Each structure stands twice: as C-alpha cells, then as structure tokens.
Amino acid sequence: GVQTCALPISAGGSAVIAIHDLRIARAIADEVVLLRDGAMMACGATETELVASRMATLFEVPFEDTAWGPVARFDGPDGPGSG
C-alpha cells in the first residue's frame, strides 16, 4: 500500500520524498533528483528533468511527452499499437 505522512512545511522549508509515480512527482515537486543504479543521473527543475527524452534514457524504453507529462510507449514489434 501507499504510506502517507502529512507534516506542515513552513515557508522556505523543504521536504524530501522518494516516489516512482511520475504524475505525482510532476504535480508536487519543484525539483527532482533522478537515480539509476544507486547513482544520480540528473538533478534540476521538474519541468526540465521530467521529460520524455530524460525518462527514455533513465528507463531504457521509449517515452513521449503529453499534457500530463512523459508517458512510456510500449510498442510491439510491428510499431505503435501492435504490442
């Protein structure tokens, strides 16, 4: 299940969370750190780091940018939609 904890963060404060849902990360984070194999791959503003090209490199699958953020494309061997 999902574990949540609600704590007030004062003006100018920070919170560090680990999250794997890109939609939630995009909605709540001002900045992100992307990790791969335990090492930092990228760090910066959410809008510049959570993009299809960066996610494709991170996860080694094709991504496309949408209005909701980067979305993985799981295509079959005969192209989009054949999987």
Side-chain angles (χ1 to χ4, degrees):
V2 175
Q3 295 180 349
T4 62
C5 178
L7 298 173
I9 299 173
S10 62
S14 298
V16 176
I17 64 169
I19 191 164
H20 294 94
D21 188 314
L22 299 178
R23 292 170 298 170
I24 294 173
R26 182 178 168 165
I28 65 173
D30 296 322
E31 295 186 13
V32 296
V33 175
L34 304 178
L35 302 175
R36 180 178 175 135
D37 298 326
M40 184 173 66
M41 184 187 130
C43 176
T46 302
E47 62 271 5
T48 60
E49 299 302 331
L50 291 186
V51 294
S53 59
R54 180 79 74 201
M55 296 298 100
T57 301
L58 179 65
F59 293 109
E60 296 182 342
V61 296
F63 272 75
E64 62 184 88
D65 285 313
T66 70
W68 303 280
V71 175
R73 292 187 55 192
F74 296 101
D75 298 333
D78 298 322
S82 66

